[in-house]
Amino acid sequence: MPTISLTDFVDFAITAGPSQLAKVKEISARGKYDPKFDFWKPLRAGIRGLHQDGTKLDSVLEGLKDAKKIKRYPVAVKAYKKFVGKKTIQWFRPPSQPWIYEGLTVRVNPELGLEIDGQKYVAKLYFKDERPTKQRLKVVFELMRSSLRLDEGTIPAVIDVASSRLIPPKPLDGDLTVLLQAQALAFLHMWKSIAGSATAAGTPMR
C-alpha cells in the first residue's frame, strides 16, 4: 500500500477528475524519495538550523550551482529573514505522525516547532510563489490536527515563505475528515488500477 507526502495528498485532494488520475500516475512513476531531487531541502535544513543552533541562514547560499536555486534561494532567504524580524523565537522539536486511512499512509512531518513571542506553533513551510488557497490550507490543517493531536496550547500553522507570513487555522470544518477519507479511498482505487495496468504490461510499480 502506498506511502505519500502530505503535499502530494493535498495536491490530489484539492483537484478533481482527470487531474487526480494524472497526479496518482505521477506519484506512482516517481519512485522512492531521493533528496537529490528535493529542490527546497537545503533551505528547509537551513531554516531548522537557524532556529535550533543559530546557524546563519545565508550559509545555504554558499556554493549554489543549480541555476534555479541561484535565482530563487536568495529571494526565499530574504523573505524568511523578514518573517523572523525581531520576534522572540524558541525552537522545540515538532511532532511527526502519519495520517492513515484504509491502507493509504500520508506523511505528516512539520518542519518547525517554534515558540513565537510566547505562543507555540507547529509549522509547515510553504515555498511556492502563489499564495496557498483557503482550500489547500483547510486540508493541511485537518491532516495536521487529526494526525498530530497537538496540545491545546499548540497551534498548527503554515509559514508562507514568499509573503513572510505565518498562517494559523480558522475554525475547522467538521465534515472535512469524511471528505479526506473519501479522497483516500479514491486515491487507493486509482493506485490499484494503475498497479494492475502496470503488471499487465510487465512494468513493475515503483
Side-chain angles (χ1 to χ4, degrees):
M1 288 290 100
T3 297
I4 64 174
S5 71
L6 181 145
T7 298
D8 279 336
F9 185 64
V10 173
D11 287 345
F12 174 84
I14 64 175
T15 57
S19 295
Q20 286 193 320
L21 183 58
K23 184 65 182 180
V24 178
K25 288 180 178 178
E26 176 208 322
I27 296 168
S28 68
R30 189 189 304 154
K32 293 183 179 179
Y33 169 79
D34 188 335
K36 290 188 298 184
F37 302 108
D38 186 341
F39 184 83
W40 293 109
K41 179 179 171 60
L43 183 52
R44 289 200 304 271
I47 289 172
R48 283 194 296 268
L50 168 70
H51 295 298
Q52 281 184 282
D53 311 314
T55 305
K56 296 285 187 180
L57 189 54
D58 288 328
S59 64
V60 303
L61 303 178
E62 298 172 2
L64 287 180
K65 296 179 180 178
D66 182 280
K68 290 183 179 179
K69 288 181 180 177
I70 291 171
K71 179 179 179 181
R72 300 195 66 188
Y73 264 48
V75 177
V77 166
K78 182 179 179 180
Y80 194 81
K81 289 166 71 174
K82 180 181 177 182
F83 162 73
V84 172
K86 295 183 179 180
K87 297 180 182 73
T88 300
I89 300 179
Q90 297 291 326
W91 164 268
F92 64 91
R93 183 177 295 278
S96 174
Q97 187 69 30
W99 184 86
I100 301 172
Y101 188 73
E102 296 292 337
L104 176 65
T105 300
V106 178
R107 297 187 296 271
V108 183
N109 302 321
E111 293 91 351
L112 304 174
L114 303 177
E115 184 175 322
I116 302 175
D117 297 331
Q119 173 62 60
K120 286 188 174 182
Y121 296 93
V122 170
K124 287 289 297 178
L125 291 166
Y126 179 85
F127 290 105
K128 294 181 180 180
D129 291 332
E130 66 273 14
R131 292 197 174 189
T133 64
K134 292 180 180 179
Q135 189 178 13
R136 174 177 291 276
L137 291 169
K138 281 184 178 181
V139 175
V140 170
F141 289 140
E142 176 59 26
L143 290 169
M144 292 176 71
R145 183 197 65 79
S146 58
S147 64
L148 301 177
R149 303 189 182 281
L150 300 174
D151 295 338
E152 189 173 333
T154 302
I155 299 175
V158 168
I159 297 177
D160 179 6
V161 174
S163 66
S164 309
R165 187 169 62 119
L166 182 142
I167 308 171
K170 294 182 178 180
L172 294 172
D173 187 340
D175 295 330
L176 202 54
T177 295
V178 175
L179 174 63
L180 294 184
Q181 290 171 347
Q183 293 285 20
L185 292 175
F187 184 98
L188 287 168
H189 180 75
M190 295 179 199
W191 180 274
K192 291 173 184 176
S193 177
I194 293 168
S197 298
T199 300
T203 305
M205 280 285 283
R206 296 188 178 188

